[in-house]
Amino acid sequence: ERETSRLDDLIGRLLQLARLEGDPGPSERVDLSTLLLSVAADARFEAAPAGLQIVADVPNDLVVNGVEWALRSAVENTLRNAIRHSDEGKTVTLSATRGDGEVRIVVRDEGPGVPEDHLERIFAPFHRVDESRDPSTGGTGLGLAIAARAILAHGGTITASNRQPHGLEVEIALPR
């Protein structure tokens, strides 16, 4: 039953990735502030068993043109990745700011970070930094690939960098 559930999740993620590589749907005005706060609230529930704190610093009235389900998926997958790789009792931060013609979303964790030679590859489908992990500890390697495809479909960028002394920061830039 557990393997069937994992296979069902994998198929769902593959279909989501394929949908993003095609046409994700019609673009509309998306209330990004509400979307980000909703994703953060869901993440708090998911992070609670590990004693992780989710902090959201999101201004009001952030609006972008896009496909809401795809943007939600991008942020959810990025935040879930941060939760999965954060040490127990630490903090994961989701923040957003307005810039010149763009909105920047940043997810920061306090985990071990990623080896420098993997920073760009973590957005490739099925890429996992530690290949010895099984799906219960390392996922399928599709979450950040889905996030990247969703952001690229919106004309945005997604990058990752290590934080000092430890942790990972993923930055999403979307045109307004």
Side-chain angles (χ1 to χ4, degrees):
E1 187 175 310
R2 189 174 351 158
E3 288 302 315
T4 301
S5 176
R6 285 183 184 159
L7 185 57
D8 186 48
D9 180 59
L10 177 63
I11 291 168
R13 287 177 168 273
L14 286 169
L15 289 172
Q16 190 175 32
L17 186 62
R19 187 173 176 196
L20 286 167
E21 288 179 352
D23 179 15
S27 188
E28 60 189 12
R29 298 296 284 165
V30 176
D31 179 348
L32 197 58
S33 297
T34 300
L35 184 147
L36 294 173
L37 292 173
S38 172
V39 170
D42 291 347
R44 285 185 186 101
F45 179 76
E46 188 175 327
L52 292 170
Q53 182 179 1
I54 306 297
V55 174
D57 181 15
V58 178
N60 293 325
D61 302 325
L62 285 179
V63 178
V64 296
N65 284 320
V67 180
E68 186 171 347
W69 75 264
L71 292 170
R72 176 178 296 277
S73 180
V75 176
E76 281 177 346
N77 283 324
T78 303
L79 202 51
R80 280 189 178 136
N81 189 70
I83 291 167
R84 174 177 281 134
H85 296 291
S86 288
D87 296 328
E88 189 172 320
K90 299 292 184 178
T91 300
V92 174
T93 305
L94 169 66
S95 63
T97 56
R98 262 184 216 97
D100 292 331
E102 67 182 9
V103 172
R104 290 194 178 277
I105 303 165
V106 178
V107 175
R108 292 180 185 94
D109 68 43
E110 296 178 352
V114 173
E116 291 293 324
D117 61 329
H118 286 264
L119 282 173
E120 289 186 30
R121 294 187 291 160
I122 62 174
F123 299 107
F126 301 109
H127 181 78
R128 296 189 317 188
V129 173
D130 183 353
E131 292 298 327
S132 67
R133 292 182 166 184
D134 65 30
S136 67
T137 59
T140 59
L142 287 173
L144 290 178
I146 290 169
R149 294 301 190 281
I151 298 306
L152 292 174
H154 286 83
T157 60
I158 184 169
T159 58
S161 59
N162 285 311
R163 300 178 58 220
Q164 295 302 323
H166 53 81
L168 187 70
E169 176 175 295
V170 176
E171 183 176 297
I172 296 168
L174 291 167
R176 287 198 297 160

